[in-house]
Amino acid sequence: MNIKKLMGIAVIGALFCASSSAQNLKPGDLSVADFLKNPLGMNLENMSFNWKLPPAGEAAYQSAYAIEVATSKELLERAADVWQSGKTSSARSVQVPYGGRALKSCEKLWWRVKIWSKTGQESDWSEAASFETSYNTDGAQWAAHFIKSPHDPESKKRIPPAYLRRVFNIDKPVKAARLYAASKGIFTAALNGDAASDQYWPTGWTDYKKRIQIDTYDVTKLIKNGANCLSFIIADGWFSGSMSGANKECHYGTRPEIIAILKIDFADGTTLEVPTDASWKSSFGGVSAADFYDGETYDADKEPQGWKLANFDDSAWSAATASEGATPLLEARRSNPIRTMLKLKPLAITQPQKGVYVYDLGQNMVGTLELALKAWQKNSFIKIRFAEMLNKDGTLYTENYRNAESTDHIKGAPEGGRWTPLLTYHGFRYVELSNMPEGFEPSKDDLTGLVWYSDMAATGAFSCSDERLNRLQSCILWGQRGNFLSVPTDCPQRDERLGWTGDAQVFAPTAAYNMDVAAFFTKWLLDLRDTQNAKGAFSDIAPTLGWGFGNAAWGDAGVVIPWEMYLAYGGKKTLEDNYEAVKKWIEFQKSTAKDLIRPESGYGDWLQPFPKPSKDGKKGDTPKALIGTAYFARGSEIAAQMARILDKPEDAAYFEALSKDVKAAFVKRFVDADGKIECDSQTAYLLALGFDLLPENLQSRALKHLEDAIKKADGHLRTGFVGTPLLTLVLTKFGRTDLAYEILLKETYPSWLFTLAQGATTMWERWNSYTHADGFGDVAMNSFNHYAYGAIGKWMYATIGGLSAAEPGYKTALYAAEPGGGISRAETSLETPYGLASSSWKIDGGKMFWHICVAPNAYGKIIFPVADSSKVKIDGLSLTDFAKAKNLELKTQNGRPQIKSAPSGSYKIEIEL
Ligand code: BGC
């Protein structure tokens, strides 16, 4: 992925929007299921098709489509032999269901689509796209066994990563070869010494007791005639490493294992399968330790030379242990693979102590590094430490890693003069090298930071005239990069890195702006459903490690995230997949509430600044029962909406009534006749207003109390993980965008810009994780890469930039920019399921110049940021004349004029402010 693709969406947006030709209607950008492009071995249970139309105005909107699926590209063009939908009347171009026969294991199919426009014009067929299924889609058991090292670890200790190999012979021409592999733990794979893929730890983290993801590699080019060698290194990763349990007890097992089948299709129509079984050889090698928290150690002298090649003598190696008995459920992978997405070079090198070199990569990042020294020495034992921050004396600040040692070691000289630890990961900005070989002269070429995250396409871009907010957007993006690694984690560096549900719940909407997170969350929502216990409670972390269940705002991820993904991508299937679990979660809350009031337990408004003195100040001042009851009402309301969409009217009525009752109970218990809430915290009012818990007559009063609470805090936030994501959204919803800007642009503690002024390059766990005045914050909770407060991104995109979803999946996008805060220009764009939508504006000479692009086959609802419609001109016409000329409906809502539904195209708007 190149940097232009990652960062350049906004620029590209403007170009696409401008072009429009009614002639060429040919659909493009074909993808299947969760927007997977030509997927290989991904899970296709929810098989459906997506395509985009070229930008060509309303007449070109789709009125019908035809899809064809065939077993080869040739047949696709001649006579599609798997499925022909025929001409189907429908405007739908996103998640259009497949109607052909069941997909078979290991089959590659080709597909294409054509459309008819509203005026009956027929497009050309699209280019052909493909999808290939995984190994076990028909549920067959694998003719292979999980294998592992025959050596048992001593109690509570871990064994080194196991080296595994097997030789096989090829004596005829190969047509195609696929490696299917699934692991308990993580692995690297090689065929004849070459890496089988550029992906890392593809099996990812799931509840290994329930299901394991299979990965598929196309290894056709790596097979050669004669003797071949398939090899793996398997390591603890999430399975048996220190991450998998507190106190270094393992939750899933004690030794990593792998199951794999190499399937080779020959040109003569025959097939050879090379499975993992007891015939495999096992040993240990150069990688003598590898753990996510503690790091990796490599001893070049102990690396068996040529062990990945067929001619290596493995007679001294032991037989691998093959597991007998039931295999856990193996399923085609749902999640995006982890890849090196960016590379960072050091900006500076310092030497805080003799022989200790600190390299500054300029950016807090997550991943690994490549070490490429000029001179390696046989007997050197280099120590590599990592840190997010430096102490005043320039040494590494690592106290916040807590028990994670996060240290790599390399002994001797690696083959080829380069070394990259591949079986661990770190969160860091600084790299420290020590124990260097004699005569070592540091250079910026010594190392490169390899930024790893789940490979998700960049979809959104935000920028504006205020450089501080651009830096904030960058911090939010880096928070996402650093923590979307197979599962959404709270932090990537200390002895935690878990799939904390509350953090993910508040950040998911912002995440869906920055990147295409559809597949990522489809997979993780399954992890979350896998945690649900018999009573219906979700775990606080997914995958679960067996502790922590049923807490407000955390467990609610199981309701909120499916809903947010539905809004962002429009897939009803997300709602179908999660609906039963949502119902159980609501029932769990009902059955454990007293008079519909939730108990006083949970994490509260986690890490709210300036808490009143209490036993556990980390949980803030808002009663946990209040937070729980607010979320209970909100969840029931979402459940009612889901039920309506899924055509379950009885359920919908039930949840609607429940939500009303919970709201009434909330008001009775917590709110007085003046709209005042007992604890008088900002978060209490934000929940009440944000989740529509109050009757109309109390709303303006509660808003007044919220404004007072903000005034009392001198215009600052007093909110934690629960309240902060709602703060600006609620103020905008109730017409106080001015106050939202004021809070956002505060530079004093606690605020986003305060954190930036202390040197942040990512989101921090606390607003004062570090301050120039007082140094480092409470070390017990002091992550410098914690995305929760990055949830502000949603408001920046929607209100500053002016772009959000008015209908699920952006079938109608909402354009509602509200300039303020002294900002003179903003640009926002988003690659929606229908294509590129963008909103950019600038203010010049008392006028706002607003340029909007509405995506093809989609609509735009435009709300103008002034009350007087005579101040608005579009494409040179007054608003009324423009609406008349284009036959568009005008409305006024909350005193603001709006166009209800503008078709695809570009609009140049001029507003007198
Ligand atoms: C994590 C948080 C998480 C919290 C629950 C912490 O250790 O880092 O982000 O949500 O626990 O209170």
Side-chain angles (χ1 to χ4, degrees):
M1 166 111 15
N2 67 26
I3 191 92
K4 231 174 165 176
K5 205 168 158 202
L6 284 166
M7 314 295 259
I9 297 283
V11 185
I12 297 166
L15 295 175
F16 271 136
C17 188
S19 76
S20 90
S21 128
Q23 297 311 308
N24 190 0
L25 302 177
K26 185 165 130 180
D29 209 1
L30 274 57
S31 62
V32 299
D34 281 327
F35 311 102
L36 309 170
K37 294 195 175 151
N38 302 315
L40 171 62
M42 294 289 285
N43 195 305
L44 298 176
E45 269 166 23
N46 295 344
M47 186 59 196
S48 58
F49 301 97
N50 315 296
W51 58 87
K52 288 177 186 158
L53 269 53
E58 199 182 8
Y61 274 36
Q62 179 183 309
S63 66
Y65 66 80
I67 299 172
E68 292 189 347
V69 181
T71 48
S72 72
K73 226 172 166 179
E74 297 69 49
L75 279 171
L76 187 66
E77 271 158 33
R78 267 192 296 124
D81 56 339
V82 176
W83 186 51
Q84 300 189 8
S85 72
K87 183 175 174 182
T88 307
S89 290
S90 168
R92 197 162 163 189
S93 54
V94 175
Q95 303 199 339
V96 178
Y98 167 65
R101 63 156 168 82
L103 303 178
K104 295 181 202 157
S105 179
C106 308
E107 73 173 343
K108 180 169 185 170
L109 299 178
W110 294 85
W111 74 284
R112 63 181 185 172
V113 57
K114 73 156 92 163
I115 65 120
W116 285 262
S117 72
K118 262 187 171 178
T119 53
Q121 201 186 334
E122 184 176 344
S123 80
D124 290 340
W125 282 106
S126 68
E127 302 300 317
S130 69
F131 52 96
E132 183 173 326
T133 58
S134 179
Y135 191 76
N136 73 335
T137 48
D138 57 2
Q141 277 294 318
W142 286 34
H145 298 266
F146 271 98
I147 58 168
K148 58 186 168 187
S149 163
H151 299 284
D152 256 327
E154 288 164 36
S155 148
K156 285 198 184 178
K157 283 219 171 110
R158 299 188 291 270
I159 58 168
Y163 284 40
L164 298 161
R165 56 177 259 123
R166 149 109 201 238
V167 174
F168 58 94
N169 207 50
I170 295 294
D171 56 6
K172 48 189 173 178
V174 170
K175 196 174 90 187
R178 299 285 185 266
L179 175 62
Y180 303 98
S183 62
K184 300 176 185 175
I186 55 171
F187 68 90
T188 60
L191 200 51
N192 299 319
D194 290 322
S197 160
D198 63 349
Q199 306 172 8
Y200 300 109
W201 322 331
T203 298
W205 189 6
T206 54
D207 184 341
Y208 300 107
K209 294 179 179 176
K210 293 199 169 153
R211 69 186 81 241
I212 302 182
Q213 301 195 102
I214 307 159
D215 193 38
T216 306
Y217 299 149
D218 179 353
V219 290
T220 313
K221 290 199 180 110
L222 301 182
I223 302 270
K224 55 178 197 185
N225 207 36
N228 286 258
C229 176
L230 176 60
S231 63
F232 298 114
I233 301 179
I234 54 169
D236 292 323
W238 295 280
F239 180 74
S240 40
S242 52
M243 187 185 284
S244 75
N247 306 320
K248 320 251 161 174
E249 294 279 4
C250 299
H251 180 66
Y252 304 108
T254 53
R255 268 177 294 172
E257 301 178 22
I258 188 163
I259 188 166
I261 286 183
L262 174 62
K263 181 170 174 286
I264 300 156
D265 296 329
F266 295 106
D268 65 4
T270 58
T271 294
L272 171 72
E273 290 196 355
V274 181
T276 46
D277 56 24
S279 72
W280 279 62
K281 289 297 198 68
S282 169
S283 186
F284 298 122
V287 188
S288 58
D291 182 77
F292 280 173
Y293 289 165
D294 294 340
E296 186 165 327
T297 297
Y298 180 74
D299 183 342
D301 285 344
K302 291 208 176 121
E303 184 75 354
Q305 287 309 302
W307 75 275
K308 295 176 183 168
L309 303 177
N311 60 3
F312 174 78
D313 177 7
D314 62 13
S315 52
W317 286 34
S318 318
T321 300
S323 310
E324 297 295 336
T327 303
L329 188 59
L330 298 177
E331 293 182 328
R333 198 181 66 203
R334 291 180 169 81
S335 54
N336 323 54
I338 295 164
R339 286 198 170 89
T340 298
M341 301 296 287
L342 291 165
K343 294 184 179 185
L344 300 181
K345 291 302 290 179
L347 303 180
I349 308 172
T350 50
Q351 200 179 341
Q353 288 161 338
K354 193 164 181 290
V356 173
Y357 305 91
V358 173
Y359 296 70
D360 178 5
L361 295 170
Q363 171 64 52
N364 196 10
M365 59 155 278
V366 175
T368 188
L369 53 67
E370 184 188 66
L371 203 56
L373 304 183
K374 271 190 234 85
W376 295 87
Q377 268 176 26
K378 206 169 159 38
N379 292 323
S380 65
F381 190 50
I382 298 172
K383 185 170 175 185
I384 308 160
R385 297 199 310 141
F386 300 84
E388 296 179 294
M389 299 289 283
L390 295 182
N391 293 312
K392 280 218 166 77
D393 62 3
T395 57
L396 300 194
Y397 167 78
T398 55
E399 283 79 353
N400 68 325
Y401 287 1
R402 304 193 310 210
N403 288 320
E405 280 170 24
S406 202
T407 304
D408 297 338
H409 295 94
I410 174 161
K411 185 159 188 277
E415 210 183 314
R418 285 165 191 271
W419 180 60
T420 296
L422 291 177
L423 301 168
T424 186
Y425 79 98
H426 309 280
F428 61 100
R429 168 175 169 171
Y430 301 95
V431 182
E432 178 200 271
L433 301 186
S434 62
N435 266 350
M436 300 310 287
E438 212 146 296
F440 171 73
E441 289 287 341
S443 134
K444 288 181 187 166
D445 294 329
D446 293 339
L447 58 91
T448 308
L450 307 182
V451 179
W452 280 358
Y453 56 94
S454 293
D455 186 353
M456 299 164 290
T459 46
F462 168 88
S463 67
C464 71
S465 59
D466 190 329
E467 265 318 306
R468 297 169 304 174
L469 295 185
N470 296 340
R471 275 186 55 212
L472 176 58
Q473 167 63 13
S474 167
C475 289
I476 297 171
L477 198 54
W478 277 99
Q480 185 166 351
R481 287 179 181 147
N483 284 293
F484 275 49
L485 208 94
S486 182
V487 303
T489 56
D490 57 334
C491 59
Q493 74 295 72
R494 69 177 176 224
D495 56 350
E496 199 149 6
R497 315 186 196 184
L498 305 173
W500 278 101
T501 48
D503 309 44
Q505 188 260 114
V506 298
F507 187 63
T510 300
Y513 271 110
N514 290 330
M515 299 180 198
D516 173 1
V517 294
F520 184 85
F521 274 117
T522 293
K523 181 263 178 190
W524 187 71
L525 285 171
L526 180 59
D527 296 337
L528 184 55
R529 295 200 296 283
D530 277 345
T531 74
Q532 197 165 32
N533 67 18
K535 291 184 191 148
F538 290 114
S539 168
D540 303 336
I541 56 163
T544 181
L545 293 176
W547 45 262
F549 283 87
N551 288 308
W554 271 252
D556 288 288
V559 182
V560 176
I561 299 184
W563 185 245
E564 289 293 343
M565 291 304 112
Y566 172 67
L567 295 181
Y569 301 108
K572 246 190 185 176
K573 193 81 182 105
T574 310
L575 302 185
E576 282 162 17
D577 288 348
N578 290 282
Y579 183 67
E580 285 307 313
V582 167
K583 270 172 76 175
K584 282 191 216 150
W585 168 247
I586 304 292
E587 286 314 307
F588 161 77
Q589 292 179 85
K590 194 175 162 197
S591 64
T592 49
K594 198 164 175 284
D595 300 329
L596 300 180
I597 300 296
R598 298 284 303 136
E600 187 59 25
S601 59
Y603 302 105
D605 191 17
W606 187 246
L607 298 185
Q608 173 219 303
F610 296 115
K612 294 196 182 109
S614 76
K615 254 200 339 279
D616 189 358
K618 289 205 277 291
K619 296 185 177 180
D621 299 334
T622 311
K624 294 180 265 307
L626 184 151
I627 296 171
T629 309
Y631 263 96
F632 181 23
R634 171 78 182 130
S636 312
E637 194 165 59
I638 295 176
Q641 282 168 288
M642 287 182 179
R644 223 169 288 128
I645 294 159
L646 298 176
D647 206 16
K648 298 174 190 290
E650 277 173 27
D651 282 15
Y654 169 79
F655 286 123
E656 212 164 74
L658 178 61
S659 151
K660 268 197 196 127
D661 292 346
V662 180
K663 287 180 185 185
F666 178 92
V667 174
K668 191 168 156 220
R669 166 71 184 80
F670 299 109
V671 192
D672 74 11
D674 184 41
K676 185 146 185 152
I677 298 178
E678 202 177 273
C679 64
D680 205 29
S681 70
Q682 293 181 7
T683 293
Y685 296 112
L686 292 168
L687 288 164
L689 291 165
F691 292 174
D692 294 321
L693 305 182
L694 305 178
E696 240 181 277
N697 67 319
L698 289 185
Q699 285 180 357
S700 54
R701 295 180 196 185
L703 179 67
K704 175 83 183 45
H705 294 305
L706 171 63
E707 289 165 347
D708 288 347
I710 294 170
K711 212 178 284 164
K712 247 192 264 165
D714 192 23
H716 288 81
L717 60 87
R718 289 286 184 274
T719 49
F721 277 31
V722 170
T724 309
L726 288 169
L727 187 56
T728 48
L729 296 172
V730 167
L731 289 170
T732 289
K733 179 173 163 186
F734 288 91
R736 291 302 316 267
T737 298
D738 58 322
L739 192 50
Y741 273 110
E742 195 186 317
I743 295 175
L744 172 60
L745 296 176
K746 273 267 169 319
E747 287 194 317
T748 36
Y749 175 80
S751 70
W752 290 269
L753 300 189
F754 174 78
T755 305
L756 285 186
Q758 313 310 307
T761 60
T762 33
M763 300 311 297
W764 291 356
E765 186 168 21
R766 297 174 188 264
W767 307 104
N768 58 354
S769 285
Y770 169 83
T771 67
H772 293 311
D774 301 320
F776 292 105
D778 179 355
V779 75
M781 287 281 166
N782 210 24
S783 155
F784 290 89
N785 202 350
H786 230 77
Y787 55 53
Y789 292 143
I792 184 71
K794 173 182 172 172
W795 185 84
M796 286 161 58
Y797 273 103
T799 308
I800 306 181
L803 188 58
S804 58
E807 278 190 313
Y810 289 84
K811 181 71 188 174
T812 299
L814 174 64
Y815 297 84
E818 294 196 41
I823 294 169
S824 60
R825 59 161 187 85
E827 298 93 30
T828 297
S829 68
L830 183 68
E831 185 63 40
T832 75
Y834 295 90
L836 210 103
S838 68
S839 162
S840 15
W841 55 264
K842 65 174 183 193
I843 292 174
D844 199 4
K847 279 187 181 168
M848 174 181 176
F849 299 90
W850 191 11
H851 186 192
I852 284 173
C853 290
V854 179
N857 211 26
Y859 297 90
K861 174 173 170 177
I862 307 170
I863 302 182
F864 302 95
V866 284
D868 181 354
S869 61
S870 72
K871 307 237 156 150
V872 179
K873 268 190 186 165
I874 305 189
D875 294 345
L877 296 175
S878 76
L879 180 56
T880 355
D881 287 350
F882 179 81
K884 227 180 261 162
K886 301 273 173 181
N887 202 16
L888 298 176
E889 191 186 333
L890 288 181
K891 273 181 68 180
T892 304
Q893 207 180 318
N894 299 333
R896 296 271 171 89
Q898 59 172 262
I899 295 178
K900 223 179 126 201
S901 190
S904 169
S906 154
Y907 300 89
K908 291 217 162 75
I909 300 164
E910 213 181 290
I911 302 169
E912 272 175 62
L913 294 173

